[in-house]
Amino acid sequence: MFAIPLGDDGAELRPLETWHAAEFLAHVERGRDFIGTYIGFVDAVVSQDTARELLRRYGVKRVADEGFLYGIWTGRAEPGGGTLVGGVLFRVFDARTGVCEIGCWLEPAGTGRGLITRACRVLADWAFHERGMHRIEWWAAAANTASTAVARRLGMTREAVLRESSPRGGVRHDMEGWAVLAHEWDAREDDEPRA
């Protein structure tokens, strides 16, 4: 197993795998209402078996090189320790076309620390620099201002608004499509101060 530090605060990015099912379920239970406002997978994760099944499906996607799922842990006291507070994923990963989609979620205990932005930068760097992807997409409900703010911080451009296209919780949400291209990502990096 690997863990990628997300900064000096002890937060880490790690693969989220089937053996994390109990921990994943506990995380979903802590944040069900908050996460479920915009993220549908929480409806399916109601037991350790259903948590394992969702994680298994992403394991299959990883083997097929079509999707990847990572958890964000905070408060690491020892290797493999800490609390799972959210995650990021390549919901879609198409190496043939060079297009992928990043998504994210957090429980309330993980908000306000830049964890999603930091984790998504790791995913974008890997997608562009290691895998040679050309385009990364980001889809979010327009009302999910925390998610659209991450897209902006990642240097993405809003390209589309699909009006009332996503029903969730009895509400039809407008969905915004954001994207960043490889050359834009590299230009953004050139403008950032190096540590």
Side-chain angles (χ1 to χ4, degrees):
M1 175 164 104
F2 69 84
I4 298 172
L6 293 177
D8 296 335
D9 58 2
E12 290 183 338
L13 185 66
R14 304 181 208 154
L16 201 48
E17 300 177 355
T18 55
W19 60 273
H20 291 116
E23 187 176 12
F24 183 61
L25 175 61
H27 155 64
V28 168
E29 290 299 339
R30 287 190 305 270
R32 183 174 299 283
D33 291 339
F34 183 77
I35 298 167
T37 302
Y38 298 109
I39 306 296
F41 78 73
V42 299
D43 297 340
V45 177
V46 295
S47 68
Q48 195 166 324
D49 287 341
T50 56
R52 185 179 297 105
E53 176 56 22
L54 185 137
L55 298 174
R56 185 199 65 76
R57 283 197 320 265
Y58 267 90
V60 170
K61 287 180 84 164
R62 182 179 63 238
V63 169
D65 199 30
E66 296 174 351
F68 305 86
L69 184 63
Y70 303 96
I72 299 171
W73 278 262
T74 60
R76 181 179 62 86
E78 58 188 47
T83 303
L84 177 64
V85 297
V88 292
L89 70 154
F90 287 107
R91 197 185 74 73
V92 174
F93 194 89
D94 187 341
R96 185 184 58 77
T97 64
V99 177
C100 59
E101 177 190 339
I102 292 178
C104 66
W105 75 93
L106 276 177
E107 66 178 74
T111 62
R113 297 189 256 176
L115 294 170
I116 292 296
T117 302
R118 290 186 268 163
C120 288
R121 283 185 180 136
V122 170
L123 266 59
D125 280 338
W126 180 81
F128 286 136
H129 298 142
E130 297 296 321
R131 296 302 307 276
M133 299 302 275
H134 178 73
R135 174 186 171 88
I136 296 175
E137 297 179 349
W138 183 278
W139 287 91
N144 188 350
T145 56
S147 186
T148 58
V150 172
R152 280 188 190 89
R153 283 193 295 275
L154 294 173
M156 293 184 164
T157 300
R158 187 175 78 165
E159 297 179 336
V161 176
L162 304 179
R163 297 178 308 139
E164 297 184 7
S165 64
S166 180
R168 180 89 192 125
V171 176
R172 295 198 68 84
H173 295 277
D174 292 353
M175 293 299 291
E176 293 186 2
W178 295 73
V180 62
L181 305 178
H183 68 87
E184 295 167 336
W185 185 257
D186 290 338
R188 176 207 55 86
E189 286 182 334
D190 291 341
D191 293 338
E192 287 183 357
R194 302 284 182 205

